[in-house]
Amino acid sequence: IGEPVSIEWFNPQGERIMSSQRVVLHTERVRSRLTIYNANIEDAGIYRCQVSDARGQTQEATVVLEIYQKLTFQEMKSPQEFRQGEVAEVACNVTSSPVPIVTWLYNNMEITADSFKRFQILPNNNLQIQKVAKADEGVYRCEARVEARGEIDFRDISVIVNVPPVLSVPQQSFNATADYQESVTLTCRAYGSPEPEVTWHRRGKQIEESDQYVLKGRGTMLTICSIKQDDGGSYFCKATNKAGVVEEELVLKVFVQPHITQLNNITAVEGSATMISCTAEGEPVPEVSWRRASDGYSFTDGDKSPDGRIEAHGRKGKSTLTISVVKLSDWGRFDCEALSRIGGHQKSMYLDIEYAPTFLSNYTIYFSWEGNPINISCDVIANPLASILWKRNKMTISGEGTGHTRVYNTDGRSLLEVTPMSERDFGRYNCTASNKIGMRFQEFILAQADVPSNPYAVRLSSVSQRWATVSFMKPDSHGGVPIGHYLVKYRDIGLQDWRDVKSNGVQTMVLLTNLEPNTTYEVRVAAVNGKGQGEFSRTESFQTLAIREPSPPSVHGQRGGGKSYRLSLIKQDDGGTPIVEYIIKYRTRDREDSWMFKTVPGVSDQVLLQHLQWNTEYEVEITARNMQGLSEPTFYEFKMPQKQDITADSLFSSLGLGAVVGLGVAALVLILVAVDVSCFFLKQCGLLMCITRKGCGKKTATSGKSKDLEEGKAAYLKDGSKEPIVEMRTEEERITNPDDGSHINEPNETTPLTEPEKLPLKEENGKETLKPDAIEVKVHSDNSIQTKEEDSKA
């Protein structure tokens, strides 16, 4: 009624109904009709008709639709079989609308709780029979009625009750002797419904009729012909029907020496349970034990391994090793030994462990860039060997590969070579390894490498006139590819061109050289990896120092040879221009002497001060000069030691055992010569006097004194030897005839030596004597000579 703008229908689920082939809407201004063709039970429910006017106000009305269904039996199975003694539920699936009334009949009698104690009709209309028996077999009728419509229907269902087999074995143990052509018949009778099938089994296998085995009485009798050693043991009679399986064991005893008849290699799966069996024959029955070859551990009946995983159980010549959780360490040989009072027998088996693929590496992220090939390695261990496939976006990459990918396979390893050419080549790659135990996969990510981020915290240190040190912090990100080196760019702030310096590897410190003094420079740093050069750091500026005078030199001194002293010049800041020379002033500390000067080139690293005085303190001033001027002087003081006498301690400390013995002999000869010389001058006697008289005639002692003194040398070793030579010379000879290489008479002696006076021979108590301090003792060792001047004693 009114002026509707729209009329809409909604189904029982609240959804707006649209016109279709089965559901049709007819709307004419103020009237709408909904037609449902081929209606079914799902169409039942409340339908809403909703009307809207021009102002947006709505009104609705509802229509209740009920659908009636006729009696329908669905999936009726007949016969239905059950096992004797179980709870049987005979199914009758019938539906209608309204709900039907179901009645069960057996032998034309309605099944009620009073007449059938073990029978019950369930809410789902099925018939339940408690402890169903063979007597319950027959035809049951399921009848359904809809009284409101007077509709009735039924179905007959056959019920079959199966009885599990039962075995009857008249005799379970038989004795025989091997190798005597004996025969034994084993009997096994079976009962059940349906009639059971009887089969014989031995060692896990069904016995088939042959020359050795004869089956009679529909399989209930087994005859074993020509008994051999291998025929002893357990025989199993198995009866099978629909209701179940039952078996009985019959034992044939064959009196034989122990012999292991069943021991097989076993393959087990890691983590699972497995069982190793060893069966031995013999009469009497042998005891069976195990030995694990890997560690020699033995198992007898009831024994367990230390970790409790392996346990042995033995029974009638058979022993079983049960491993509850197989580990890879169990792989290897197990020995089974059968022993009886007659003898023994031993066999071995091998336990192989199979396991699912395991990936060896956890490295799953690789970085590359466009055009740069990279190898992604998938390493797998498995038993049996695993097959390895590469997948990309759920698509398998073929072994031949594509233009961008290539696969190389070896046992346990698959190498995927990827040459990314665009962004599509980056992403996830899946390596799938599988064998019969299982399948595993590992996902690899090929990420697009980037150039490194910029280094930061650029610092300038050790800035001088010609060089400076640049230090910086490494970037926060290397872009996925290791940084190869750092690029340092620097330039004069007044120039356009940059100069480049590469770091040594990944060191974060670079030395800039060949800089101009008193110049401002700009510097920036970038990191470089395989992808390329990253962004530069913030540009920093610094100024080199201006050229100036050198800094004061650093000096370290040490004794030189003889009357010399060596000063070592340690490299210093040259002020930005090379040092031209070092100027050295030195004098004694008592300041009675004037300064002595010496200069050395700037490239020198040491200065030798010569012709110094013993036991004297010196002060030194060292000044460095470059083109800019002179440095501040460095002051240094040292003291020359006292002149050392030749003593036994000083000689012996520097000589070996042979040299010490030689010196001892030389000293003895020297003493004898000195005594002889003394006798010659004082007493006019001795060996020298005899030689003089024979060679020169009878001369007075005084007339040959000077000549005899010159010849009065005692050499205790031959010339040219490497042992020390001791010479005695007068002061006059030492001055007028200096030896080559002497550390006393040096050509550049600062203070020249004056001509000494002749040393007269004076007498004490009317006799002439030789002054001790006029004798010089020189010790030669190889090419070095040590001279002792004052108060030399022999």
Side-chain angles (χ1 to χ4, degrees):
I1 300 173
E3 296 294 331
V5 176
S6 66
I7 304 176
E8 296 177 338
W9 286 89
F10 294 89
N11 63 17
Q13 288 77 35
E15 300 170 347
R16 182 186 173 194
I17 298 175
M18 305 296 292
S19 226
S20 65
Q21 187 174 0
R22 195 175 73 88
V23 180
V24 180
L25 291 174
H26 297 279
T27 304
E28 300 173 357
R29 292 183 59 214
V30 298
R31 184 170 181 268
S32 181
R33 182 177 65 211
L34 172 64
T35 304
I36 302 173
Y37 297 96
N38 297 323
N40 53 48
I41 194 70
E42 287 79 12
D43 294 326
I46 300 175
Y47 288 78
R48 291 187 298 117
C49 172
Q50 188 179 79
V51 182
S52 300
D53 60 13
R55 293 178 300 174
Q57 295 181 350
T58 61
Q59 294 287 334
E60 67 176 29
T62 60
V63 178
V64 178
L65 173 63
E66 295 181 356
I67 304 295
Y68 294 93
Q69 183 182 16
K70 66 179 181 179
L71 283 171
T72 303
F73 288 88
Q74 299 176 351
E75 298 179 0
M76 295 301 295
K77 181 181 177 182
S78 180
Q80 296 185 26
E81 298 187 23
F82 303 96
R83 192 172 185 269
Q84 179 178 276
E86 68 180 6
V87 177
E89 186 174 334
V90 186
C92 179
N93 190 1
V94 58
T95 59
S96 71
S97 179
V99 177
I101 298 173
V102 176
T103 305
W104 284 88
L105 303 173
Y106 179 60
N107 293 334
N108 295 322
M109 293 180 59
E110 182 178 353
I111 297 175
T112 62
D114 296 332
S115 57
F116 294 83
K117 301 296 185 182
R118 294 183 291 109
F119 290 67
Q120 180 183 359
I121 299 175
L122 300 177
N124 60 0
N125 297 326
N126 291 346
L127 177 63
Q128 185 185 76
I129 306 173
Q130 297 288 337
K131 296 183 179 179
V132 65
K134 189 66 176 176
D136 297 326
E137 270 189 352
V139 177
Y140 291 78
R141 173 168 292 183
C142 176
E143 184 180 277
R145 299 191 306 275
V146 179
E147 294 181 349
R149 297 198 298 267
E151 187 177 358
I152 186 169
D153 200 0
F154 68 89
R155 291 290 185 273
D156 289 336
I157 302 170
S158 295
V159 174
I160 297 176
V161 178
N162 297 321
V163 179
V166 177
L167 287 175
S168 174
V169 179
Q171 183 180 346
Q172 287 189 321
S173 179
F174 302 85
N175 295 331
T177 304
D179 303 323
Y180 283 88
Q181 302 298 315
E182 292 185 18
S183 297
V184 173
T185 299
L186 311 180
T187 302
C188 180
R189 298 185 179 92
Y191 308 92
S193 179
E195 185 178 353
E197 178 187 2
V198 178
T199 55
W200 292 88
H201 299 264
R202 185 166 186 252
R203 296 175 182 172
K205 295 182 179 180
Q206 183 175 337
I207 297 175
E208 302 290 343
E209 191 163 6
S210 63
D211 293 338
Q212 184 182 2
Y213 300 107
V214 179
L215 294 173
K216 295 180 181 179
R218 300 178 66 182
T220 58
M221 292 184 293
L222 171 66
T223 300
I224 307 169
C225 305
S226 301
I227 299 297
K228 303 187 300 294
Q229 174 183 347
D230 192 53
D231 294 329
S234 298
Y235 290 80
F236 294 91
C237 172
K238 181 181 291 186
T240 306
N241 67 6
K242 291 183 178 181
V245 179
V246 66
E247 69 177 15
E248 283 287 339
E249 181 183 13
L250 292 85
V251 179
L252 173 62
K253 295 182 180 179
V254 179
F255 294 90
V256 291
Q257 191 173 358
H259 181 75
I260 297 174
T261 58
Q262 182 179 356
L263 182 65
N264 299 322
N265 294 333
I266 297 294
T267 300
V269 178
E270 181 187 14
S272 67
T274 191
M275 193 166 56
I276 307 171
S277 296
C278 178
T279 303
E281 294 180 346
E283 181 56 36
V285 178
E287 294 290 335
V288 181
S289 61
W290 295 90
R291 179 181 175 274
R292 186 165 57 187
S294 61
D295 56 5
Y297 196 87
S298 296
F299 298 88
T300 57
D301 183 28
D303 288 345
K304 289 186 179 182
S305 61
D307 58 6
R309 293 184 304 108
I310 305 176
E311 185 174 4
H313 296 281
R315 174 176 171 268
K316 294 185 179 180
K318 181 178 181 180
S319 181
T320 302
L321 271 185
T322 302
I323 306 177
S324 59
V325 180
V326 175
K327 293 185 178 180
L328 291 179
S329 58
D330 297 326
W331 180 91
R333 193 185 84 223
F334 286 79
D335 300 325
C336 176
E337 185 176 21
L339 289 175
S340 72
R341 64 176 182 267
I342 297 177
H345 188 212
Q346 179 176 312
K347 274 189 176 181
S348 299
M349 60 79 63
Y350 286 87
L351 176 62
D352 189 23
I353 310 297
E354 292 184 340
Y355 51 95
T358 300
F359 294 96
L360 297 178
S361 175
N362 292 325
Y363 184 75
T364 57
I365 301 179
Y366 290 78
F367 290 87
S368 186
W369 57 92
E370 294 178 1
N372 179 63
I374 189 167
N375 291 330
I376 302 176
S377 179
C378 183
D379 298 319
V380 179
I381 57 170
N383 183 28
L385 287 175
S387 60
I388 304 176
L389 294 176
W390 287 93
K391 295 183 179 180
R392 166 78 165 157
N393 295 330
K394 298 184 179 180
M395 300 294 293
T396 301
I397 300 174
S398 65
E400 292 77 14
T402 64
H404 301 166
T405 59
R406 191 160 188 166
V407 178
Y408 302 92
N409 287 322
T410 58
D411 290 345
R413 165 174 285 191
S414 183
L415 205 64
L416 176 65
E417 182 186 87
V418 182
T419 305
M421 303 306 294
S422 66
E423 290 187 1
R424 292 178 298 177
D425 297 323
F426 295 95
R428 299 178 184 273
Y429 290 82
N430 182 287
C431 176
T432 302
S434 61
N435 61 9
K436 67 179 183 180
I437 307 303
M439 180 174 66
R440 305 260 176 91
F441 69 90
Q442 189 172 37
E443 193 171 65
F444 295 87
I445 298 176
L446 178 58
Q448 189 166 10
D450 198 1
V451 297
S453 60
N454 60 286
Y456 59 94
V458 179
R459 297 288 183 269
L460 275 300
S461 60
S462 303
V463 179
S464 68
Q465 290 84 0
R466 300 290 182 180
W467 52 273
T469 300
V470 181
S471 61
F472 47 88
M473 299 295 289
K474 64 181 182 181
D476 293 332
S477 171
H478 55 59
V481 182
I483 294 174
H485 65 275
Y486 293 95
L487 179 64
V488 178
K489 284 183 173 289
Y490 68 100
R491 67 177 179 183
D492 187 328
I493 199 169
L495 301 178
Q496 294 296 325
D497 296 334
W498 293 86
R499 287 189 281 176
D500 298 344
V501 177
K502 289 184 179 180
S503 67
N504 183 12
V506 293
Q507 290 185 356
T508 57
M509 183 176 292
V510 175
L511 180 65
L512 305 182
T513 59
N514 299 324
L515 303 178
E516 293 297 327
N518 197 24
T519 304
T520 301
Y521 285 88
E522 292 179 326
V523 63
R524 58 185 183 180
V525 186
V528 181
N529 63 7
K531 171 74 172 178
Q533 177 183 312
E535 297 179 355
F536 279 100
S537 65
R538 189 177 65 182
T539 301
E540 301 289 343
S541 61
F542 68 96
Q543 184 173 5
T544 55
L545 301 179
I547 294 178
R548 56 173 177 76
E549 298 85 1
S551 60
S554 298
V555 180
H556 174 70
Q558 62 180 1
R559 250 317 281 287
K563 298 166 64 176
S564 64
Y565 196 86
R566 191 178 306 277
L567 299 175
S568 296
L569 303 174
I570 301 173
K571 187 172 178 61
Q572 79 217 65
D573 181 6
D574 59 8
T577 183
I579 294 175
V580 177
E581 63 181 359
Y582 289 98
I583 303 170
I584 298 94
K585 296 167 51 179
Y586 63 100
R587 67 179 178 182
T588 58
R589 284 199 63 186
D590 54 17
R591 301 187 181 182
E592 294 180 358
D593 299 333
S594 60
W595 288 101
M596 289 177 283
F597 292 87
K598 190 167 188 175
T599 61
V600 294
V603 296
S604 300
D605 58 359
Q606 61 181 2
V607 179
L608 184 65
L609 304 181
Q610 298 176 315
H611 314 304
L612 304 178
Q613 301 178 24
W614 299 111
N615 196 24
T616 304
E617 294 183 357
Y618 285 87
E619 58 181 0
V620 184
E621 291 184 15
I622 304 100
T623 306
R625 183 175 70 85
N626 64 7
M627 299 300 295
Q628 195 71 14
L630 295 174
S631 70
E632 293 293 327
T634 297
F635 299 97
Y636 186 80
E637 295 181 354
F638 67 91
K639 181 178 181 180
M640 289 293 290
Q642 292 185 356
K643 181 177 180 181
Q644 297 181 356
D645 295 337
I646 297 180
T647 62
D649 292 340
S650 63
L651 281 175
F652 295 164
S653 63
S654 60
L655 299 177
L657 180 60
V660 171
V661 174
L663 271 179
V665 174
L668 181 60
V669 173
L670 192 61
I671 293 172
L672 294 176
V673 171
V675 171
D676 189 70
V677 170
S678 300
C679 291
F680 174 77
F681 287 106
L682 298 177
K683 304 287 187 176
Q684 287 82 36
C685 62
L687 181 61
L688 185 60
M689 187 65 185
C690 294
I691 294 173
T692 303
R693 288 180 177 178
K694 287 184 179 181
C696 302
K698 294 182 179 180
K699 296 182 181 180
T700 62
T702 57
S703 63
K705 285 181 181 179
S706 178
K707 183 176 180 181
D708 293 337
L709 271 175
E710 291 181 2
E711 296 177 353
K713 301 176 182 178
Y716 63 94
L717 287 178
K718 294 182 179 180
D719 293 340
S721 67
K722 295 183 179 181
E723 298 297 331
I725 300 175
V726 179
E727 297 182 1
M728 295 178 55
R729 296 195 299 174
T730 63
E731 183 69 17
E732 179 181 2
E733 289 175 317
R734 185 183 67 83
I735 296 172
T736 57
N737 298 309
D739 293 336
D740 293 338
S742 172
H743 292 281
I744 302 301
N745 300 313
E746 297 182 3
N748 294 327
E749 186 97 352
T750 304
T751 305
L753 295 174
T754 58
E755 184 70 16
E757 297 180 357
K758 297 294 183 178
L759 298 176
L761 298 177
K762 296 182 180 180
E763 292 187 357
E764 290 184 6
N765 298 327
K767 297 182 180 179
E768 295 176 339
T769 60
L770 182 64
K771 296 181 72 175
D773 57 359
I775 298 175
E776 178 190 21
V777 179
K778 296 183 65 178
V779 179
H780 299 256
S781 178
D782 294 334
N783 295 325
S784 62
I785 302 174
Q786 297 179 352
T787 305
K788 310 296 180 182
E789 293 187 52
E790 299 176 358
D791 298 330
S792 297
K793 307 295 181 180

